[in-house]
Amino acid sequence: MLPADIVWRPSTGIGYEHVKVREENNQILIDSIVIGVQNTNDIFRVKYDIVLDKSWVTRAVAIRYLGEDQGLRLSSDGNGIWKDEQGQVIPELSGCVDIDLSCTPFTNTLPINRLSYESSQQQEIQVVYISAADLSYKQVKQNYTLLESGRDSSIFRYQSGNFTENITVDSNGIVVLYPNLFYREMGPDAR
């Protein structure tokens, strides 16, 4: 599966994401740059890095606006204890294993690859949701359900609050199509 070099585009509007995924020292390392437009029509450039262990458990995330000092760094023990950049425990994130960055479909890959699925069985998880607009974070509940499983691709129903969408992933669990939000333009199984 790795390394992977993928480009996504938003389904509407302008923007791109270029993500590199590689394995090194028993870790999975994600390095990405996202260029897009926020609801205010302001253009943004975001760089994020994620460190995962071999089981796709998030151990660290860093996100920052390119050309600006604004940024966020969080780390995890892999068992639901999160710390800020100063090493202080963040109690409101207790129990979260995965992250969800608002500007990318990539973070849907984390629980898809970390958890075991049986057809039509819903998996409920608590994640650290990070807003790329203001780099705030909070704990949210999400659900993933395997709807179809094929040799080359699978479809998962994703739910968070009132939002529901069926996401198509490749055989490595990486998003190919996130209807109405993102589609893969370059990389394996690009649409």
Side-chain angles (χ1 to χ4, degrees), residues 143 157-167 178-181:
N143 295 294
R157 181 174 50 241
Y158 164 79
Q159 295 174 283
S160 184
N162 293 326
F163 180 82
T164 300
E165 192 58 81
N166 293 343
I167 301 170
Y178 195 133
N180 303 310
L181 288 178

Side-chain angles (χ1 to χ4, degrees), residues 6-37:
I6 297 167
V7 174
W8 283 289
R9 285 194 66 178
S11 297
T12 61
I14 61 167
Y16 276 103
E17 176 175 7
H18 177 218
V19 65
K20 288 185 167 283
V21 183
R22 69 188 199 291
E23 289 182 84
E24 186 176 298
N25 299 324
N26 288 320
Q27 295 178 320
I28 301 169
L29 305 175
I30 292 84
D31 170 1
S32 183
I33 294 176
V34 181
I35 299 170
V37 178

Side-chain angles (χ1 to χ4, degrees), residues 84-104:
D84 62 20
E85 196 167 355
Q86 291 75 37
Q88 299 297 311
V89 172
I90 307 169
E92 60 267 27
L93 302 181
S94 180
C96 297
V97 175
D98 302 298
I99 59 170
D100 184 3
L101 300 178
S102 66
C103 63
T104 179

Side-chain angles (χ1 to χ4, degrees), residues 117-123 144-149 155-157:
Y117 291 90
E118 292 182 28
S119 186
S120 301
Q121 179 184 355
Q122 181 175 286
Q123 297 269 6
Y144 286 85
T145 305
L146 176 62
L147 300 178
E148 293 179 29
S149 181
I155 298 175
F156 286 83
R157 181 174 50 241

Side-chain angles (χ1 to χ4, degrees), residues 69-127:
D69 292 335
Q70 187 178 8
L72 173 69
R73 289 181 180 274
L74 301 175
S75 62
S76 171
D77 68 352
N79 294 307
I81 303 297
W82 289 83
K83 294 182 180 179
D84 62 20
E85 196 167 355
Q86 291 75 37
Q88 299 297 311
V89 172
I90 307 169
E92 60 267 27
L93 302 181
S94 180
C96 297
V97 175
D98 302 298
I99 59 170
D100 184 3
L101 300 178
S102 66
C103 63
T104 179
F106 181 78
T107 48
N108 295 100
T109 294
L110 308 182
I112 286 172
N113 279 339
R114 183 177 65 80
L115 299 170
S116 297
Y117 291 90
E118 292 182 28
S119 186
S120 301
Q121 179 184 355
Q122 181 175 286
Q123 297 269 6
E124 182 177 290
I125 58 174
Q126 296 295 124
V127 305

Side-chain angles (χ1 to χ4, degrees), residues 30-60:
I30 292 84
D31 170 1
S32 183
I33 294 176
V34 181
I35 299 170
V37 178
Q38 298 184 35
N39 294 340
T40 58
N41 287 328
D42 291 333
I43 298 171
F44 68 90
R45 298 179 304 149
V46 170
K47 171 147 179 35
Y48 71 83
D49 297 281
I50 303 171
V51 177
L52 308 169
D53 67 20
K54 296 291 272 182
S55 299
W56 289 85
V57 173
T58 304
R59 302 312 295 264

